[in-house]
Amino acid sequence: SAVISQKPSRDICQRGTSLTIQCQVDSQVTMMFWYRQQPGQSLTLIATANQGSEATYESGFVIDKFPISRPNLTFSTLTVSNMSPEDSSIYLCSVEDGTGGASGYTFGSGTRLTVV
Amino acid sequence: KNQVEQSPQSLIILEGKNCTLQCNYTVSPFSNLRWYKQDTGRGPVSLTIMTFSENTKSNGRYTATLDADTKQSSLHITASQLSDSASYICVVSRMDSSYKLIFGSGTRLLVRP
């Protein structure tokens, strides 16, 4: 399965600032996904990042708040902009593995963000 | 409405004991169901993946079952270890939008010595 390196693993940020999270995959993948996991909750899809086109955002998430870059088939970034304490969450990237009979999804180790 | 519900919400067992976690879903059209283990502060790690034609799948001490007729799945953990303490998440995908995974809220398992 794919191996994902996600950075940073955690950060504490001041409100009003921005944080960029990086995900590097050890193989080329078509689709990369960004999720948010609020404390005690399950994962919520923020957007799907495809190389060469703008990211597709889910309802409730907008590009101005969560700009995404996908410069090539192995890398993507998610920026959390103008942060407020409500943005404190774990952010995860994911890729579709395409291995085996049913496609699996591999997740990065996550970025634990605390906004103060 | 496409939903995935898990029970119990949390569970405490003694090391060495077995346990079974439940997942009920209303997702349609069904494509496949996955169980993930998520350690605290880490990303989810895949345990099993099952399509509608598969009734059971094992991964070491983890055995998942699927009843596509009743739309129920279970994850059985045998001879639990302290390292099994984690959240276990049931995830279902639809045939018509396979990448939009529908996540359950998870079962938090604590294994005590």
Side-chain angles (χ1 to χ4, degrees), chain B residues 41-61:
Chain B
R42 308 290 294 178
V45 174
S46 178
L47 295 175
T48 63
I49 304 171
M50 288 184 292
T51 62
F52 71 92
S53 60
E54 297 175 292
N55 300 118
T56 184
K57 185 162 283 189
S58 293
N59 178 359
R61 296 180 296 102

Side-chain angles (χ1 to χ4, degrees), chain A residues 7-8 16-23 34 46-47 57 61-70 75-83 87 91 113:
Chain A
K7 294 190 248 188
T17 63
S18 298
L19 175 71
T20 295
I21 302 166
Q22 301 179 359
C23 268
W34 287 98
I46 297 172
Y57 289 83
F61 298 96
V62 295
I63 188 171
D64 290 344
K65 176 67 175 177
F66 298 101
I68 288 171
S69 78
R70 184 82 200 274
F75 186 78
S76 179
T77 67
L78 169 77
T79 298
V80 186
S81 303
N82 188 25
M83 289 183 285
D87 294 320
Y91 293 85
L113 171 62

Side-chain angles (χ1 to χ4, degrees), chain B residues 70-89:
Chain B
T70 62
K71 299 186 177 182
Q72 295 180 327
S73 177
S74 66
L75 180 69
H76 186 74
I77 304 175
T78 304
S80 61
Q81 300 176 358
L82 299 180
S83 59
D84 292 331
S85 297
S87 286
Y88 291 84
I89 305 172

Side-chain angles (χ1 to χ4, degrees), chain A residues 50-99:
Chain A
N50 297 319
Q51 193 265 337
S53 63
E54 280 201 1
T56 303
Y57 289 83
E58 297 300 304
S59 175
F61 298 96
V62 295
I63 188 171
D64 290 344
K65 176 67 175 177
F66 298 101
I68 288 171
S69 78
R70 184 82 200 274
N72 56 53
L73 292 174
T74 64
F75 186 78
S76 179
T77 67
L78 169 77
T79 298
V80 186
S81 303
N82 188 25
M83 289 183 285
S84 66
E86 291 71 35
D87 294 320
S88 298
S89 292
I90 298 174
Y91 293 85
L92 301 110
C93 62
S94 176
V95 301
E96 184 178 13
D97 255 337
T99 57

